Amino acid sequence: MMTWKMITLQDSASPLMEQLMFFHDHTLLILLIITVLVGQLLINLMFNKFTHRFLLEGQTIELIWTILPALTLIFIAIPSLRLIYIIDEINNPALSIKTIGHQWYWSYEYSDFKEIEFDSYMIPTNEMKNFSFRLIDVDNRLVIPFKTQIRLLVTSNDVIHSWTIPSFGMKIDATPGRLNQISISSSRPGLFFGQCSEICGTNHSFMPIVIESIAPSNFINWVKSL
């Protein structure tokens, strides 16, 4: 969960988010090296007293500053392409959950179980408990087992919404008449918060998302209790 003093990415809660954070650090390191190198060259240009009045071309330096950016882009593109394939990969999910966006709440359906569906509304301020989080807690959380591959099917009943959990590295559009899918795999138990990330109307800011990741045995007991 993001707090007021955090200025970086949220702690990862899925293998995908871990890879995204590694890619972020990898790219940031390359950008830092380029920034330092270009800054040093600019300082040298400003403060040295060397001139070359008759310089018309420099084949060697032009070849270097053409090849180096190409190699830099390759070092960034290869892990980026790998991540794209990881995001789209869904192999034999153990559980399928359907998510439907509404103005302005979410509803969930556990397709593998009979008649397990519920709506998830934000808890109003006047109904909050001492342990509730203002404007981001809901009355019915999406409960999933951790260390289990889950297929999430996302759609909308009215306008375009966007189902987002930053700790999972997930953002998927909920589009009317279209069924999008993405894979979820939580690496640890806990509560993970998100919000609709597509402006969908006047109460766009009041349709949060909460995932409760629990042990598979506890998840089975939760299903039996419904």
Side-chain angles (χ1 to χ4, degrees):
M1 174 181 171
M2 182 65 73
T3 59
W4 64 272
K5 61 183 179 179
M6 291 181 66
I7 59 174
T8 58
L9 300 172
Q10 295 186 26
D11 293 337
S12 65
S14 70
L16 172 62
M17 187 58 182
E18 290 181 5
Q19 294 299 319
L20 288 171
M21 293 177 71
F22 289 148
F23 175 67
H24 170 269
D25 296 341
H26 167 78
T27 308
L28 200 62
L29 180 61
I30 293 176
L31 292 176
L32 181 62
I33 294 173
I34 293 173
T35 302
V36 171
L37 178 61
V38 173
Q40 183 181 12
L41 292 175
L42 288 175
I43 291 173
N44 288 336
L45 285 174
M46 292 173 62
F47 290 99
N48 71 58
K49 298 180 180 179
F50 299 108
T51 59
H52 197 317
R53 293 172 56 197
F54 303 104
L55 179 64
L56 296 177
E57 62 176 356
Q59 297 290 340
T60 303
I61 189 64
E62 289 177 5
L63 184 64
I64 292 173
W65 70 41
T66 301
I67 293 176
L68 283 182
L71 293 176
T72 303
L73 291 176
I74 290 173
F75 278 111
I76 295 175
I78 291 176
S80 175
L81 292 172
R82 175 174 169 271
L83 274 175
I84 290 175
Y85 283 104
I86 291 176
I87 291 173
D88 290 336
E89 186 176 3
I90 300 177
N91 291 323
N92 300 321
L95 181 65
S96 294
I97 302 174
K98 187 176 181 180
T99 301
I100 305 172
H102 305 266
Q103 289 181 314
W104 288 271
Y105 64 96
W106 297 96
S107 61
Y108 301 101
E109 300 176 5
Y110 289 75
S111 307
D112 299 319
F113 305 100
K114 187 177 180 180
E115 296 181 355
I116 298 183
E117 56 184 60
F118 52 85
D119 298 330
S120 180
Y121 288 87
M122 185 191 73
I123 300 177
T125 304
N126 58 350
E127 298 179 11
M128 287 175 55
K129 309 295 183 182
N130 291 332
F131 53 81
S132 300
F133 292 100
R134 181 177 176 271
L135 300 182
I136 60 171
D137 217 338
V138 296
D139 54 358
N140 293 309
R141 297 165 178 164
L142 177 62
V143 181
I144 63 171
F146 67 83
K147 293 186 178 179
T148 303
Q149 189 173 27
I150 300 167
R151 178 178 60 178
L152 189 71
L153 304 172
V154 183
T155 187
S156 173
N157 195 41
D158 36 49
V159 298
I160 298 176
H161 302 276
S162 186
W163 199 88
T164 307
I165 298 289
S167 293
F168 283 29
M170 292 179 53
K171 182 179 183 293
I172 181 169
D173 288 339
T175 307
R178 181 183 176 90
L179 201 62
N180 294 328
Q181 69 174 4
I182 196 169
S183 178
I184 304 178
S185 180
S186 175
S187 56
R188 57 187 171 90
L191 292 178
F192 307 103
F193 298 86
Q195 291 175 300
C196 177
S197 298
E198 186 75 31
I199 297 177
C200 56
T202 55
N203 289 332
H204 157 70
S205 301
F206 304 106
M207 50 183 301
I209 305 159
V210 182
I211 288 182
E212 183 175 354
S213 178
I214 60 177
S217 58
N218 293 337
F219 176 79
I220 294 173
N221 294 333
W222 175 79
V223 170
K224 290 179 180 179
S225 66
L226 296 177

